[in-house]
Amino acid sequence: MLIALLVALGVDLIVVVAVGALVSGRRRWVRRRPGAFRGAVRAADGPVDGLGPRWRRGYGRWVRDVLVWTRAPFLFRTEVLPVDGLDGPRPARPGEVGRLGPDPLVLTFGSGGSHIAVAVRAEDRERALAPFPAAGPAPSVVPAPRPAVGHRTSPDV
């Protein structure tokens, strides 16, 4: 339907295919960047350059303490957001942000007197908290290996 409308308006089919291939290739390139995670971002309070109060989808990644956010749908606009620290993670309220899986997480970061909220899927938590390892999940405790039954554990054999 959309292609028929564009052809009726005089847009060549090759142009439509080229733009589609360009957007698809860009999305693949952004997703495969080291440490990239999918989510949504907004200004939680205070003015933040390039962000408003509404959730905007895209992909984020960390470069030291700077959040590099590439905005969807075409992924050509990138926002560079310096972050002062993590204010805290919390589970997303029902209906707050959609299309991020069953248990999305909202991370609030301080940014020069303002706050940035980033919503991520539960499985992207470690990548979204990369510069703040203390806020990550608790390290798993690996139990000591148990001796096999029938073997002695004392050195005087």
Side-chain angles (χ1 to χ4, degrees):
M1 180 81 167
L2 179 65
I3 294 174
L5 177 65
L6 292 173
V7 170
L9 292 174
V11 177
D12 288 333
L13 186 58
I14 191 70
V15 173
V16 174
V17 170
V19 169
L22 180 69
V23 169
S24 176
R26 175 74 177 170
R27 181 175 306 270
R28 182 177 178 176
W29 182 78
V30 167
R31 273 196 317 221
R32 292 180 181 231
R33 301 287 297 179
F37 57 91
R38 183 173 62 132
V41 68
R42 71 179 179 94
D45 66 37
V48 178
D49 289 336
L51 293 181
R54 292 182 48 205
W55 289 106
R56 299 291 181 188
R57 300 200 175 282
Y59 290 87
R61 64 186 176 91
W62 289 100
V63 178
R64 295 191 181 157
D65 61 347
V66 176
L67 178 63
V68 179
W69 191 261
T70 306
R71 294 176 64 172
F74 298 114
L75 304 175
F76 288 123
R77 186 170 175 189
T78 301
E79 304 293 339
V80 180
L81 307 166
V83 172
D84 299 332
L86 175 68
D87 291 340
R90 66 172 174 83
R93 292 184 296 272
E96 182 177 8
V97 62
R99 295 191 288 169
L100 289 177
D103 300 318
L105 185 68
V106 176
L107 311 169
T108 306
F109 299 101
S111 177
S114 301
H115 291 88
I116 300 168
V118 179
V120 297
R121 298 180 299 176
E123 55 265 16
D124 287 338
R125 177 187 170 121
E126 289 81 24
R127 281 184 261 168
L129 290 171
F132 308 99
S140 61
V141 177
V142 178
R146 297 175 67 186
V149 176
H151 288 105
R152 293 184 180 209
T153 58
S154 63
D156 58 329
V157 178

